[in-house]
Amino acid sequence: MSSGHCFISYSNRDAKDFGPQLSLELEGEHPYIETWYDKKNIPAGQKWDSLISKAIGDCKCFLFVVTDDSKVEDSICMRELSLALSYKKPIFPICLQPDVEFPWRIRDFQRIDFCESRRKGMAQLRLAIQRIDSPEGQLDALKARFSAAERDLNNANKEEDKLRIKAELDELTEQIKRQEEIVRNPKAAEEKTEKNIQSGLERERQPEKPVAGKTSTRFINTPPFIAPTY
């Protein structure tokens, strides 16, 4: 699997045991899946807000444990969720309580159900995380980022924000086209990439052509030679 950790967001009130246990199971079974959560990764005395912000920005996906306390609008978990959404990270809501209502911002996201069977939920979660690294998973992530950017554009008021988001959409459009090509024909895409790499290496091997400097002759007006007198 590619590098990058899975950020676990959970409430210390009604899921304090589940969060650490989830981390242990993801890291302890094969294949190893790196995780990040507050009690494990924040040293004592450190400012948790900056560390959490960086951890979410660097994560490969965001695991949101949905419980009655975590979905409270002013909770730390919801602030973490907002940050993950702004970074356009893949988000997997984990259903831990059968009757809990999901926050509207992630209501349509693929949810992982741990209510019926913990074993089944863990297997589903592992497959979802592993899919992130596949060509299809990367295409899904790009399309999700594109949809999020479209929503940002509709909500943007400042012209500078609109221009920035439009540039992002143009770049995502090109990335989606390239990724769709990889999904359709991975072998051809791999050969094309290798060809581009070899072409780049060949250009680097070419000796630089010497730049012919311009020569110029300057005539300096000096007085005629005068022999010394003794």
Side-chain angles (χ1 to χ4, degrees):
M1 296 182 67
S2 66
S3 60
H5 56 261
C6 302
F7 187 100
I8 302 176
S9 177
Y10 67 101
S11 168
N12 281 305
R13 289 187 178 180
D14 52 8
K16 65 177 182 178
D17 295 327
F18 179 81
Q21 185 62 34
L22 180 64
S23 172
L24 285 173
E25 292 184 27
L26 287 174
E27 293 189 349
E29 297 179 8
H30 181 77
Y32 171 83
I33 297 176
E34 183 183 359
T35 63
W36 196 105
Y37 69 94
D38 53 1
K39 285 185 170 54
K40 177 169 79 93
N41 294 91
I42 299 181
Q46 296 292 315
K47 292 185 177 180
W48 65 270
D49 51 350
S50 59
L51 291 176
I52 284 180
S53 178
K54 185 178 187 307
I56 294 175
D58 294 341
C59 74
K60 68 189 296 179
C61 65
F62 184 86
L63 311 182
F64 186 78
V65 183
V66 185
T67 57
D68 287 329
D69 188 68
S70 70
K71 70 184 185 67
V72 175
E73 194 57 39
D74 60 349
S75 69
I76 293 175
C77 293
M78 288 298 288
R79 287 159 58 188
E80 293 172 344
L81 175 62
S82 296
L83 197 55
L85 288 168
S86 69
Y87 282 128
K88 299 179 176 61
K89 295 292 181 177
I91 296 174
F92 299 120
I94 296 176
C95 185
L96 195 58
Q97 298 172 344
D99 299 325
V100 69
E101 185 177 350
F102 274 48
W104 65 268
R105 284 177 286 181
I106 57 172
R107 197 162 292 170
D108 297 329
F109 284 56
Q110 175 192 0
R111 60 183 64 187
I112 312 296
D113 188 3
F114 273 72
C115 301
E116 181 181 347
S117 168
R118 186 186 184 94
R119 186 180 182 85
K120 183 178 178 181
M122 180 59 70
Q124 185 183 1
L125 178 60
R126 281 186 163 274
L127 286 175
I129 294 173
Q130 291 173 35
R131 181 179 166 82
I132 294 175
D133 298 322
S134 70
E136 293 81 5
Q138 293 172 20
L139 179 58
D140 289 344
L142 287 171
K143 289 181 176 179
R145 288 179 58 193
F146 187 90
S147 298
E150 282 187 319
R151 290 193 295 271
D152 291 343
L153 181 61
N154 292 333
N155 296 327
N157 296 318
K158 296 181 180 180
E159 190 61 30
E160 59 207 50
D161 291 336
K162 292 180 180 180
L163 292 174
R164 174 182 55 78
I165 297 170
K166 285 178 180 178
E168 181 183 359
L169 286 169
D170 291 340
E171 176 62 25
L172 285 169
T173 299
E174 292 301 316
Q175 291 181 19
I176 288 171
K177 287 180 181 178
R178 290 195 295 268
Q179 194 63 30
E180 285 176 337
E181 183 179 346
I182 292 173
V183 171
R184 282 195 303 269
N185 194 339
K187 184 173 178 58
E190 183 179 351
E191 291 174 352
K192 183 178 179 181
T193 301
E194 181 62 26
K195 184 178 179 181
N196 291 338
I197 292 173
Q198 293 301 325
S199 297
L201 292 174
E202 186 62 31
R203 285 194 298 270
E204 290 180 2
R205 294 190 192 104
Q206 296 297 326
E208 294 184 3
K209 295 181 179 179
V211 179
K214 292 183 179 180
T215 58
S216 61
T217 304
R218 293 186 179 181
F219 296 93
I220 303 175
N221 294 323
T222 57
F225 178 76
I226 302 175
T229 59
Y230 299 95

